Amino acid sequence: AQRPATALSADGPLNLVNGVRVAAARESRGKGVLVVLNDEINAARDVTKTNTYRAETFKSGELGFLGYVDQDRVAYYRQPVKRHTVTSEFDVKAIRDFAKVEIVYAYAEPANAIVIDALVKHGVRGIVIAGTGAGGMSDAEKAAAKKASATTVFVRSSRVGNGRVIARKEYDDLGMVAADNLNPQKARILLMLALSKTDDLTEIRRMFEEY
């Protein structure tokens, strides 16, 4: 809920009812984890909170939500195509400790190279770069990532909010992985899962393409 139970027009009760309706709907089978608020159904992979207080805060960006929960029925208009839940290769029950993965926010000045060096010295196994534009990094950040590439996996995401980060030779040559359209927070979770299985960059790149 975005509004507490004591507020006028509290949204929690209806969200709860709609969540149960979606979970019970036959049409929801095979669609993975879903987020239901404001009468809208979103795929967990795509959705993110976009506003601090508004009831319609959970959105899936340019891809849009999956369907509606209306008075008459649960209505879907599209479904996720990425691997998820029962089709996943990851088994979190078997993971005792996840790899340390941190997010570094990119900006115009090169001070983040210091942050990257510090994280690597503290044993971080993965770093997600919330890059400028389409996952861009400063020369100083790229140099710090190249120096740490033997021990740390770097994933390029974007701070923009929409769109894909794709492979580019200048970054591929540094051993970096493109996050596709996963935001930095979700790219971090996928990298933690990936590192629980392998350090191989080819395999990790495959995972970021499939999930």
Side-chain angles (χ1 to χ4, degrees):
Q2 283 296 100
R3 304 183 186 122
T6 54
L8 289 173
S9 301
D11 59 331
L14 182 58
N15 285 333
L16 181 58
V17 169
N18 282 341
V20 173
R21 290 178 62 201
V22 169
R26 189 177 191 88
E27 296 85 356
S28 298
R29 293 181 181 178
K31 292 183 172 63
V33 178
L34 303 170
V35 176
V36 180
L37 279 98
N38 200 44
D39 302 333
E40 297 171 352
I41 310 167
N42 289 272
R45 181 194 183 276
D46 303 329
V47 73
T48 191
K49 189 173 182 178
T50 63
N51 191 286
T52 53
Y53 290 114
R54 302 289 80 81
E56 70 278 12
T57 179
F58 285 89
K59 297 183 181 296
S60 296
E62 295 170 336
L63 298 179
F65 52 86
L66 304 182
Y68 300 103
V69 192
D70 287 323
Q71 292 181 354
D72 61 335
R73 65 187 179 95
V74 174
Y76 283 100
Y77 296 91
R78 68 182 188 91
Q79 63 182 7
V81 297
K82 294 286 189 176
R83 287 181 67 178
H84 60 76
T85 54
V86 295
T87 64
S88 172
E89 65 201 86
F90 305 113
D91 181 5
V92 295
K93 296 191 300 293
I95 303 173
R96 296 183 60 85
D97 295 300
F98 284 98
K100 292 181 180 179
V101 176
E102 299 291 344
I103 299 172
V104 172
Y105 199 88
Y107 47 86
E109 297 178 16
N112 278 340
I114 299 172
V115 177
I116 292 171
D117 289 340
L119 290 174
V120 172
K121 288 178 182 177
H122 280 79
V124 169
R125 289 185 58 202
I127 294 177
V128 176
I129 303 293
T132 57
M137 298 168 60
S138 70
D139 289 340
E141 290 162 353
K142 286 188 279 189
K146 181 179 181 180
K147 184 172 68 174
S149 60
T151 58
T152 309
V153 176
F154 286 82
V155 171
R156 295 168 45 240
S157 182
S158 175
R159 66 185 197 184
V160 171
N162 282 295
R164 298 174 62 221
V165 172
I166 63 176
R168 284 169 51 182
K169 188 176 187 305
E170 64 176 301
Y171 293 109
D172 294 349
D173 289 346
L174 298 175
M176 294 188 178
V177 178
D180 198 290
N181 69 335
L182 288 174
N183 65 26
Q185 306 93 294
K186 296 186 180 187
R188 174 179 176 267
I189 293 172
L190 181 53
L191 183 54
M192 290 168 68
L193 289 167
L195 289 172
S196 73
K197 295 182 69 72
T198 183
D199 293 316
D200 183 79
L201 284 179
T202 300
E203 274 293 284
I204 294 175
R205 283 174 175 145
R206 174 190 63 79
M207 293 169 184
F208 272 85
E209 290 174 358
E210 293 184 6
Y211 289 91

mmCIF file of all heavy atoms in Angstrom, residues 46 48-50 59-62 103-107 128-137 156-166 168 179-185:
data_model
loop_
_atom_site.group_PDB
_atom_site.id
_atom_site.type_symbol
_atom_site.label_atom_id
_atom_site.label_comp_id
_atom_site.label_asym_id
_atom_site.label_seq_id
_atom_site.Cartn_x
_atom_site.Cartn_y
_atom_site.Cartn_z
ATOM 1 N N ASP A 46 10.228 -6.428 -14.568
ATOM 2 C CA ASP A 46 10.172 -5.131 -15.232
ATOM 3 C C ASP A 46 9.815 -3.983 -14.302
ATOM 4 O O ASP A 46 10.191 -2.838 -14.554
ATOM 5 C CB ASP A 46 9.133 -5.169 -16.363
ATOM 6 C CG ASP A 46 9.414 -6.258 -17.369
ATOM 7 O OD1 ASP A 46 10.592 -6.582 -17.575
ATOM 8 O OD2 ASP A 46 8.443 -6.786 -17.956
ATOM 9 N N THR A 48 9.221 -1.246 -11.268
ATOM 10 C CA THR A 48 10.021 -0.531 -10.279
ATOM 11 C C THR A 48 9.185 0.608 -9.719
ATOM 12 O O THR A 48 8.231 1.076 -10.356
ATOM 13 C CB THR A 48 11.325 0.013 -10.895
ATOM 14 O OG1 THR A 48 12.183 0.482 -9.854
ATOM 15 C CG2 THR A 48 11.049 1.162 -11.853
ATOM 16 N N LYS A 49 9.534 1.047 -8.520
ATOM 17 C CA LYS A 49 8.820 2.158 -7.905
ATOM 18 C C LYS A 49 9.324 3.466 -8.501
ATOM 19 O O LYS A 49 10.527 3.701 -8.573
ATOM 20 C CB LYS A 49 9.027 2.138 -6.388
ATOM 21 C CG LYS A 49 8.152 3.114 -5.638
ATOM 22 C CD LYS A 49 8.276 2.928 -4.127
ATOM 23 C CE LYS A 49 7.349 3.889 -3.390
ATOM 24 N NZ LYS A 49 7.392 3.724 -1.927
ATOM 25 N N THR A 50 8.397 4.325 -8.914
ATOM 26 C CA THR A 50 8.774 5.533 -9.647
ATOM 27 C C THR A 50 8.410 6.834 -8.938
ATOM 28 O O THR A 50 8.785 7.909 -9.402
ATOM 29 C CB THR A 50 8.097 5.549 -11.031
ATOM 30 O OG1 THR A 50 6.669 5.606 -10.853
ATOM 31 C CG2 THR A 50 8.466 4.306 -11.838
ATOM 32 N N LYS A 59 5.564 0.968 -11.844
ATOM 33 C CA LYS A 59 5.421 0.973 -13.292
ATOM 34 C C LYS A 59 6.501 0.099 -13.945
ATOM 35 O O LYS A 59 7.542 -0.154 -13.356
ATOM 36 C CB LYS A 59 5.517 2.401 -13.832
ATOM 37 C CG LYS A 59 4.401 3.332 -13.334
ATOM 38 C CD LYS A 59 4.520 4.702 -13.966
ATOM 39 C CE LYS A 59 3.412 5.625 -13.454
ATOM 40 N NZ LYS A 59 2.073 5.143 -13.841
ATOM 41 N N SER A 60 6.231 -0.308 -15.163
ATOM 42 C CA SER A 60 7.164 -1.150 -15.913
ATOM 43 C C SER A 60 7.809 -0.404 -17.063
ATOM 44 O O SER A 60 8.187 -0.996 -18.078
ATOM 45 C CB SER A 60 6.448 -2.401 -16.424
ATOM 46 O OG SER A 60 6.022 -3.196 -15.346
ATOM 47 N N GLY A 61 7.924 0.900 -16.927
ATOM 48 C CA GLY A 61 8.613 1.691 -17.937
ATOM 49 C C GLY A 61 7.949 1.597 -19.299
ATOM 50 O O GLY A 61 6.726 1.467 -19.415
ATOM 51 N N GLU A 62 8.785 1.637 -20.318
ATOM 52 C CA GLU A 62 8.271 1.640 -21.691
ATOM 53 C C GLU A 62 7.609 0.324 -22.070
ATOM 54 O O GLU A 62 6.776 0.283 -22.974
ATOM 55 C CB GLU A 62 9.420 1.937 -22.663
ATOM 56 C CG GLU A 62 9.998 3.338 -22.495
ATOM 57 C CD GLU A 62 11.268 3.537 -23.292
ATOM 58 O OE1 GLU A 62 11.954 2.541 -23.601
ATOM 59 O OE2 GLU A 62 11.576 4.699 -23.597
ATOM 60 N N ILE A 103 26.884 -1.597 -6.140
ATOM 61 C CA ILE A 103 26.526 -0.711 -7.251
ATOM 62 C C ILE A 103 27.330 0.573 -7.147
ATOM 63 O O ILE A 103 27.426 1.167 -6.069
ATOM 64 C CB ILE A 103 25.021 -0.378 -7.233
ATOM 65 C CG1 ILE A 103 24.190 -1.665 -7.389
ATOM 66 C CG2 ILE A 103 24.672 0.614 -8.344
ATOM 67 C CD1 ILE A 103 22.702 -1.448 -7.184
ATOM 68 N N VAL A 104 27.920 0.982 -8.260
ATOM 69 C CA VAL A 104 28.657 2.250 -8.318
ATOM 70 C C VAL A 104 27.944 3.159 -9.303
ATOM 71 O O VAL A 104 27.723 2.799 -10.458
ATOM 72 C CB VAL A 104 30.119 2.028 -8.747
ATOM 73 C CG1 VAL A 104 30.811 3.373 -8.983
ATOM 74 C CG2 VAL A 104 30.868 1.226 -7.687
ATOM 75 N N TYR A 105 27.574 4.330 -8.845
ATOM 76 C CA TYR A 105 26.819 5.293 -9.653
ATOM 77 C C TYR A 105 27.790 6.175 -10.432
ATOM 78 O O TYR A 105 28.663 6.816 -9.853
ATOM 79 C CB TYR A 105 25.969 6.152 -8.714
ATOM 80 C CG TYR A 105 24.819 6.865 -9.366
ATOM 81 C CD1 TYR A 105 23.583 6.248 -9.493
ATOM 82 C CD2 TYR A 105 24.957 8.162 -9.838
ATOM 83 C CE1 TYR A 105 22.517 6.907 -10.066
ATOM 84 C CE2 TYR A 105 23.897 8.833 -10.422
ATOM 85 C CZ TYR A 105 22.673 8.194 -10.532
ATOM 86 O OH TYR A 105 21.626 8.861 -11.108
ATOM 87 N N ALA A 106 27.644 6.182 -11.748
ATOM 88 C CA ALA A 106 28.540 6.964 -12.603
ATOM 89 C C ALA A 106 28.049 8.397 -12.746
ATOM 90 O O ALA A 106 26.849 8.672 -12.767
ATOM 91 C CB ALA A 106 28.640 6.322 -13.983
ATOM 92 N N TYR A 107 28.996 9.317 -12.834
ATOM 93 C CA TYR A 107 28.677 10.721 -13.090
ATOM 94 C C TYR A 107 29.866 11.358 -13.790
ATOM 95 O O TYR A 107 30.835 10.679 -14.121
ATOM 96 C CB TYR A 107 28.329 11.447 -11.787
ATOM 97 C CG TYR A 107 29.276 11.197 -10.631
ATOM 98 C CD1 TYR A 107 30.427 11.956 -10.473
ATOM 99 C CD2 TYR A 107 29.005 10.197 -9.707
ATOM 100 C CE1 TYR A 107 31.292 11.742 -9.413
ATOM 101 C CE2 TYR A 107 29.868 9.963 -8.641
ATOM 102 C CZ TYR A 107 31.003 10.740 -8.497
ATOM 103 O OH TYR A 107 31.861 10.502 -7.446
ATOM 104 N N VAL A 128 28.208 -3.532 -10.206
ATOM 105 C CA VAL A 128 27.300 -3.053 -11.244
ATOM 106 C C VAL A 128 27.515 -1.551 -11.387
ATOM 107 O O VAL A 128 27.438 -0.809 -10.410
ATOM 108 C CB VAL A 128 25.829 -3.352 -10.887
ATOM 109 C CG1 VAL A 128 24.895 -2.751 -11.936
ATOM 110 C CG2 VAL A 128 25.607 -4.854 -10.758
ATOM 111 N N ILE A 129 27.782 -1.120 -12.594
ATOM 112 C CA ILE A 129 27.960 0.299 -12.873
ATOM 113 C C ILE A 129 26.622 0.873 -13.341
ATOM 114 O O ILE A 129 26.077 0.442 -14.350
ATOM 115 C CB ILE A 129 29.027 0.542 -13.962
ATOM 116 C CG1 ILE A 129 30.370 -0.089 -13.563
ATOM 117 C CG2 ILE A 129 29.175 2.026 -14.226
ATOM 118 C CD1 ILE A 129 31.033 0.548 -12.366
ATOM 119 N N ALA A 130 26.081 1.820 -12.580
ATOM 120 C CA ALA A 130 24.897 2.561 -13.022
ATOM 121 C C ALA A 130 25.411 3.666 -13.939
ATOM 122 O O ALA A 130 25.674 4.788 -13.516
ATOM 123 C CB ALA A 130 24.142 3.129 -11.828
ATOM 124 N N GLY A 131 25.591 3.321 -15.185
ATOM 125 C CA GLY A 131 26.311 4.179 -16.112
ATOM 126 C C GLY A 131 25.495 5.333 -16.651
ATOM 127 O O GLY A 131 24.267 5.378 -16.541
ATOM 128 N N THR A 132 26.194 6.300 -17.238
ATOM 129 C CA THR A 132 25.529 7.411 -17.905
ATOM 130 C C THR A 132 24.998 6.933 -19.255
ATOM 131 O O THR A 132 25.579 6.045 -19.890
ATOM 132 C CB THR A 132 26.501 8.574 -18.123
ATOM 133 O OG1 THR A 132 27.625 8.093 -18.893
ATOM 134 C CG2 THR A 132 27.006 9.126 -16.800
ATOM 135 N N GLY A 133 23.876 7.491 -19.686
ATOM 136 C CA GLY A 133 23.333 7.138 -20.996
ATOM 137 C C GLY A 133 23.157 5.639 -21.161
ATOM 138 O O GLY A 133 22.503 4.977 -20.362
ATOM 139 N N ALA A 134 23.763 5.093 -22.198
ATOM 140 C CA ALA A 134 23.648 3.667 -22.498
ATOM 141 C C ALA A 134 24.740 2.861 -21.795
ATOM 142 O O ALA A 134 25.391 2.010 -22.389
ATOM 143 C CB ALA A 134 23.719 3.447 -24.003
ATOM 144 N N GLY A 135 24.944 3.155 -20.514
ATOM 145 C CA GLY A 135 25.926 2.411 -19.729
ATOM 146 C C GLY A 135 27.333 2.942 -19.867
ATOM 147 O O GLY A 135 28.300 2.180 -19.776
ATOM 148 N N GLY A 136 27.477 4.240 -20.063
ATOM 149 C CA GLY A 136 28.794 4.834 -20.251
ATOM 150 C C GLY A 136 29.573 4.998 -18.963
ATOM 151 O O GLY A 136 29.007 5.101 -17.877
ATOM 152 N N MET A 137 30.900 5.023 -19.092
ATOM 153 C CA MET A 137 31.804 5.182 -17.957
ATOM 154 C C MET A 137 32.921 6.139 -18.329
ATOM 155 O O MET A 137 33.289 6.259 -19.503
ATOM 156 C CB MET A 137 32.409 3.825 -17.548
ATOM 157 C CG MET A 137 31.404 2.793 -17.092
ATOM 158 S SD MET A 137 32.146 1.137 -16.960
ATOM 159 C CE MET A 137 33.433 1.418 -15.743
ATOM 160 N N ARG A 156 27.545 -3.546 -16.724
ATOM 161 C CA ARG A 156 27.142 -2.192 -17.100
ATOM 162 C C ARG A 156 25.629 -2.099 -17.204
ATOM 163 O O ARG A 156 25.005 -2.748 -18.024
ATOM 164 C CB ARG A 156 27.738 -1.807 -18.453
ATOM 165 C CG ARG A 156 29.246 -1.699 -18.478
ATOM 166 C CD ARG A 156 29.746 -1.599 -19.905
ATOM 167 N NE ARG A 156 28.989 -0.671 -20.732
ATOM 168 C CZ ARG A 156 28.334 -1.033 -21.836
ATOM 169 N NH1 ARG A 156 28.335 -2.282 -22.261
ATOM 170 N NH2 ARG A 156 27.677 -0.121 -22.537
ATOM 171 N N SER A 157 25.046 -1.290 -16.332
ATOM 172 C CA SER A 157 23.631 -0.957 -16.418
ATOM 173 C C SER A 157 23.531 0.539 -16.714
ATOM 174 O O SER A 157 24.519 1.154 -17.111
ATOM 175 C CB SER A 157 22.923 -1.329 -15.114
ATOM 176 O OG SER A 157 21.543 -1.057 -15.181
ATOM 177 N N SER A 158 22.347 1.114 -16.537
ATOM 178 C CA SER A 158 22.174 2.536 -16.810
ATOM 179 C C SER A 158 21.363 3.200 -15.713
ATOM 180 O O SER A 158 20.468 2.594 -15.135
ATOM 181 C CB SER A 158 21.471 2.741 -18.160
ATOM 182 O OG SER A 158 21.197 4.125 -18.370
ATOM 183 N N ARG A 159 21.665 4.447 -15.458
ATOM 184 C CA ARG A 159 20.907 5.227 -14.480
ATOM 185 C C ARG A 159 19.706 5.911 -15.123
ATOM 186 O O ARG A 159 18.939 6.590 -14.458
ATOM 187 C CB ARG A 159 21.819 6.274 -13.843
ATOM 188 C CG ARG A 159 22.300 7.337 -14.817
ATOM 189 C CD ARG A 159 23.285 8.301 -14.217
ATOM 190 N NE ARG A 159 23.406 9.506 -15.030
ATOM 191 C CZ ARG A 159 24.250 10.495 -14.781
ATOM 192 N NH1 ARG A 159 25.058 10.420 -13.746
ATOM 193 N NH2 ARG A 159 24.286 11.560 -15.550
ATOM 194 N N VAL A 160 19.510 5.732 -16.422
ATOM 195 C CA VAL A 160 18.499 6.461 -17.176
ATOM 196 C C VAL A 160 17.069 6.061 -16.792
ATOM 197 O O VAL A 160 16.198 6.904 -16.646
ATOM 198 C CB VAL A 160 18.717 6.266 -18.693
ATOM 199 C CG1 VAL A 160 17.553 6.834 -19.486
ATOM 200 C CG2 VAL A 160 20.017 6.916 -19.118
ATOM 201 N N GLY A 161 16.798 4.761 -16.693
ATOM 202 C CA GLY A 161 15.463 4.318 -16.323
ATOM 203 C C GLY A 161 14.744 3.506 -17.377
ATOM 204 O O GLY A 161 13.873 2.701 -17.060
ATOM 205 N N ASN A 162 15.090 3.690 -18.634
ATOM 206 C CA ASN A 162 14.488 2.915 -19.720
ATOM 207 C C ASN A 162 15.531 2.621 -20.782
ATOM 208 O O ASN A 162 16.510 3.351 -20.925
ATOM 209 C CB ASN A 162 13.317 3.674 -20.368
ATOM 210 C CG ASN A 162 12.064 3.607 -19.552
ATOM 211 O OD1 ASN A 162 11.473 2.538 -19.361
ATOM 212 N ND2 ASN A 162 11.621 4.753 -19.039
ATOM 213 N N GLY A 163 15.292 1.548 -21.539
ATOM 214 C CA GLY A 163 16.179 1.206 -22.642
ATOM 215 C C GLY A 163 17.191 0.136 -22.283
ATOM 216 O O GLY A 163 17.357 -0.234 -21.119
ATOM 217 N N ARG A 164 17.877 -0.354 -23.306
ATOM 218 C CA ARG A 164 18.842 -1.443 -23.155
ATOM 219 C C ARG A 164 20.264 -0.907 -23.067
ATOM 220 O O ARG A 164 20.602 0.098 -23.676
ATOM 221 C CB ARG A 164 18.745 -2.413 -24.335
ATOM 222 C CG ARG A 164 17.406 -3.095 -24.481
ATOM 223 C CD ARG A 164 17.361 -3.907 -25.762
ATOM 224 N NE ARG A 164 18.376 -4.953 -25.734
ATOM 225 C CZ ARG A 164 19.137 -5.299 -26.777
ATOM 226 N NH1 ARG A 164 19.023 -4.659 -27.933
ATOM 227 N NH2 ARG A 164 20.027 -6.257 -26.677
ATOM 228 N N VAL A 165 21.090 -1.641 -22.327
ATOM 229 C CA VAL A 165 22.545 -1.456 -22.379
ATOM 230 C C VAL A 165 23.082 -2.649 -23.147
ATOM 231 O O VAL A 165 22.924 -3.793 -22.707
ATOM 232 C CB VAL A 165 23.157 -1.382 -20.967
ATOM 233 C CG1 VAL A 165 24.681 -1.380 -21.051
ATOM 234 C CG2 VAL A 165 22.669 -0.136 -20.240
ATOM 235 N N ILE A 166 23.696 -2.399 -24.277
ATOM 236 C CA ILE A 166 24.126 -3.488 -25.149
ATOM 237 C C ILE A 166 25.646 -3.621 -25.124
ATOM 238 O O ILE A 166 26.361 -2.722 -24.685
ATOM 239 C CB ILE A 166 23.625 -3.283 -26.594
ATOM 240 C CG1 ILE A 166 24.241 -2.016 -27.192
ATOM 241 C CG2 ILE A 166 22.101 -3.198 -26.619
ATOM 242 C CD1 ILE A 166 23.867 -1.796 -28.656
ATOM 243 N N ARG A 168 29.393 -3.551 -26.196
ATOM 244 C CA ARG A 168 30.213 -2.675 -27.028
ATOM 245 C C ARG A 168 31.657 -3.118 -26.888
ATOM 246 O O ARG A 168 32.110 -3.450 -25.788
ATOM 247 C CB ARG A 168 30.063 -1.218 -26.591
ATOM 248 C CG ARG A 168 28.768 -0.575 -27.026
ATOM 249 C CD ARG A 168 28.522 0.768 -26.367
ATOM 250 N NE ARG A 168 29.653 1.676 -26.475
ATOM 251 C CZ ARG A 168 29.641 2.896 -25.923
ATOM 252 N NH1 ARG A 168 28.593 3.302 -25.227
ATOM 253 N NH2 ARG A 168 30.694 3.680 -26.042
ATOM 254 N N ALA A 179 23.980 -5.284 -19.163
ATOM 255 C CA ALA A 179 22.823 -5.663 -18.339
ATOM 256 C C ALA A 179 21.517 -5.719 -19.110
ATOM 257 O O ALA A 179 20.469 -5.976 -18.516
ATOM 258 C CB ALA A 179 22.678 -4.679 -17.182
ATOM 259 N N ASP A 180 21.556 -5.485 -20.420
ATOM 260 C CA ASP A 180 20.322 -5.410 -21.194
ATOM 261 C C ASP A 180 19.461 -4.291 -20.601
ATOM 262 O O ASP A 180 19.950 -3.202 -20.379
ATOM 263 C CB ASP A 180 19.600 -6.757 -21.216
ATOM 264 C CG ASP A 180 18.571 -6.840 -22.345
ATOM 265 O OD1 ASP A 180 17.545 -6.136 -22.254
ATOM 266 O OD2 ASP A 180 18.779 -7.592 -23.305
ATOM 267 N N ASN A 181 18.175 -4.545 -20.301
ATOM 268 C CA ASN A 181 17.339 -3.462 -19.776
ATOM 269 C C ASN A 181 17.073 -3.582 -18.276
ATOM 270 O O ASN A 181 16.157 -2.950 -17.748
ATOM 271 C CB ASN A 181 16.003 -3.385 -20.534
ATOM 272 C CG ASN A 181 15.107 -4.585 -20.245
ATOM 273 O OD1 ASN A 181 15.577 -5.657 -19.887
ATOM 274 N ND2 ASN A 181 13.806 -4.396 -20.427
ATOM 275 N N LEU A 182 17.878 -4.380 -17.576
ATOM 276 C CA LEU A 182 17.744 -4.467 -16.124
ATOM 277 C C LEU A 182 18.310 -3.204 -15.475
ATOM 278 O O LEU A 182 19.404 -2.759 -15.818
ATOM 279 C CB LEU A 182 18.494 -5.683 -15.591
ATOM 280 C CG LEU A 182 17.884 -7.056 -15.886
ATOM 281 C CD1 LEU A 182 18.826 -8.150 -15.404
ATOM 282 C CD2 LEU A 182 16.513 -7.199 -15.239
ATOM 283 N N ASN A 183 17.568 -2.644 -14.537
ATOM 284 C CA ASN A 183 18.106 -1.491 -13.827
ATOM 285 C C ASN A 183 19.229 -1.939 -12.888
ATOM 286 O O ASN A 183 19.423 -3.147 -12.679
ATOM 287 C CB ASN A 183 16.993 -0.729 -13.082
ATOM 288 C CG ASN A 183 16.348 -1.522 -11.963
ATOM 289 O OD1 ASN A 183 16.949 -2.420 -11.376
ATOM 290 N ND2 ASN A 183 15.117 -1.173 -11.633
ATOM 291 N N PRO A 184 20.006 -1.036 -12.328
ATOM 292 C CA PRO A 184 21.160 -1.443 -11.515
ATOM 293 C C PRO A 184 20.799 -2.354 -10.339
ATOM 294 O O PRO A 184 21.525 -3.302 -10.038
ATOM 295 C CB PRO A 184 21.733 -0.104 -11.026
ATOM 296 C CG PRO A 184 21.354 0.868 -12.091
ATOM 297 C CD PRO A 184 19.997 0.437 -12.547
ATOM 298 N N GLN A 185 19.663 -2.078 -9.674
ATOM 299 C CA GLN A 185 19.280 -2.900 -8.526
ATOM 300 C C GLN A 185 18.999 -4.340 -8.937
ATOM 301 O O GLN A 185 19.399 -5.291 -8.246
ATOM 302 C CB GLN A 185 18.027 -2.317 -7.849
ATOM 303 C CG GLN A 185 18.119 -0.859 -7.455
ATOM 304 C CD GLN A 185 17.573 0.067 -8.530
ATOM 305 O OE1 GLN A 185 18.129 0.157 -9.626
ATOM 306 N NE2 GLN A 185 16.491 0.762 -8.214
#
